[in-house]
């Protein structure tokens, strides 16, 4: 009977996205990163359409349109909303 060696993957994590997924959360260096609706939905534990509905109603940060088919949210805006949605809404109403 021969022993099989097991190899451990020891490659360093190099990208911010990999760091976020490895840690299960996003690091402080990612606060101004632009994120997709899929990432927003994951962060707020909702469907992909929910941030769009909230933004339309003024209850969530507005996305940034980068091109005809590419829209993103600022991570810092989403985090500010996540910290206190009611306070964010009160501070951003009418503006």
């Amino acid at each position: 009977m021969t022993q099989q060696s097991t190899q451990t993957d020891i490659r360093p994590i190099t990208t911010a996205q990999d760091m976020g997924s490895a840690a299960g959360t996003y690091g402080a260096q990612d606060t101004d990163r632009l994120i997709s609706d899929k990432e927003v939905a994951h962060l707020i534990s909702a469907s992909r359409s929910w941030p769009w509905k909230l933004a339309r109603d003024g209850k969530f940060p507005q996305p940034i349109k980068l091109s005809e088919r590419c829209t993103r949210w600022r991570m810092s805006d989403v985090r500010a909303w996540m910290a206190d949605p009611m306070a964010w809404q009160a501070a951003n109403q009418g503006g």
Side-chain angles (χ1 to χ4, degrees):
M1 179 174 209
T2 62
Q3 286 186 332
Q4 294 181 351
S5 64
T6 58
Q7 293 181 348
T8 305
D9 189 2
I10 56 172
R11 292 177 287 156
I13 298 172
T14 56
T15 65
Q17 186 175 9
D18 289 339
M19 292 173 83
S21 62
T25 186
Y26 293 94
Q29 71 275 13
D30 295 329
T31 56
D32 284 336
R33 190 168 73 90
L34 297 177
I35 59 175
S36 68
D37 58 350
K38 187 182 278 190
E39 291 174 285
V40 171
H42 177 76
L43 284 172
I44 66 172
S45 300
S47 68
R48 284 178 66 181
S49 62
W50 192 245
W52 292 101
K53 291 175 186 175
L54 290 175
R56 181 192 64 214
D57 296 340
K59 298 177 181 179
F60 194 74
Q62 290 296 313
I64 301 164
K65 191 161 184 76
L66 300 176
S67 68
E68 185 178 329
R69 296 183 54 142
C70 183
T71 306
R72 299 290 186 260
W73 274 268
R74 277 193 183 90
M75 174 70 84
S76 57
D77 291 346
V78 174
R79 282 183 174 229
W81 180 87
M82 289 171 60
D84 192 351
M86 297 305 275
W88 182 93
Q89 188 177 346
N92 291 286
Q93 228 169 10

